[in-house]
Amino acid sequence: MNAASDRPVVTFRASAESTASPAAIYDVLADLRTHLVWAGAEASKKKFRLLSIDASSTRTTVGDRFTSTGANMIGTFHDRSVVVEATPDSTFGFDTESVLERKHVKDMEAHFTHRYRIEPAATAGSSVITYVCEAFPRNYVPWWLRPGTRSMTRFSVQRFMAAHLRNLSHMAEIAAPRAA
């Protein structure tokens, strides 16, 4: 199976509704240091979370670069990312070159695209956050992304990602509560 491809091996999707405004959601996303909280310290699964991030303390813009590490059930990701979309109140995205350090087999190299869409919800001042992550393995396709197990992996990862989005939502709601 050829690992390098123009098409993702798997696409993960998650969404969450929030009482926070699109602007409040975007403010949390554009401050990369907050990712270490809502996708790190507050993650529901300690083996699927952000562990560290080295990013600017200013509001992120297109072209900004950052590095991070993350826990995965079977290893640690070491990532180099660049922000590719940053439209206040509506979109935020970054691309990642990643190495999954594994203990008993060859490290996996991969490219990931991360895209967040923020849309107004039916309730005035509220939002719907949609996250899409595409995975492009570079040097090989690991067993958990092969056709027989991919759907199980997708199901589990999407559950973890949805929990992260709920944490993001909660952080934005606390930072900028809705007017009564």
Side-chain angles (χ1 to χ4, degrees):
M1 179 180 281
N2 182 5
S5 173
D6 292 339
R7 295 180 55 201
V9 168
V10 65
T11 300
F12 303 104
R13 300 175 197 284
S15 63
E17 290 191 32
S18 178
T19 59
S21 69
I25 298 292
Y26 183 84
D27 286 345
V28 173
L29 281 169
D31 181 351
L32 292 171
R33 297 166 304 158
T34 69
H35 294 225
L36 193 53
V37 176
W38 58 265
E42 295 179 357
S44 60
K45 294 290 181 193
K46 297 306 174 199
K47 291 187 175 187
F48 189 87
R49 66 184 175 126
L50 193 60
L51 298 171
S52 70
I53 193 163
D54 184 10
S56 171
S57 61
T58 60
R59 186 176 175 134
T60 304
T61 59
V62 171
D64 286 352
R65 296 180 180 279
F66 62 98
T67 59
S68 59
T69 60
N72 177 287
M73 276 68 84
I74 57 169
T76 303
F77 278 105
H78 299 274
D79 300 337
R80 293 178 319 313
S81 302
V82 60
V83 176
V84 296
E85 290 184 47
T87 306
D89 306 352
S90 67
T91 59
F92 185 79
F94 55 95
D95 289 349
T96 301
E97 294 303 325
S98 184
V99 175
L100 175 59
E101 184 178 277
R102 300 180 67 194
K103 291 181 183 178
H104 303 292
V105 296
K106 182 178 180 179
D107 292 352
M108 183 186 88
E109 299 169 9
H111 175 81
F112 293 93
T113 64
H114 306 270
R115 301 295 184 268
Y116 296 85
R117 301 282 178 253
I118 312 159
E119 299 175 306
T123 304
S126 296
S127 305
V128 175
I129 313 157
T130 303
Y131 171 68
V132 177
C133 175
E134 296 177 320
F136 301 83
R138 296 292 192 214
N139 57 340
Y140 70 94
V141 177
W143 65 268
W144 70 89
L145 291 180
R146 292 191 180 143
T149 54
R150 187 179 306 146
S151 62
M152 188 169 46
T153 299
R154 183 183 298 114
F155 175 78
S156 296
V157 170
Q158 288 178 161
R159 282 185 40 219
F160 303 149
M161 291 174 168
H164 292 177
L165 288 182
R166 288 189 298 275
N167 292 342
L168 162 64
S169 169
H170 182 69
M171 183 176 251
E173 290 166 358
I174 289 171
R178 291 177 65 201

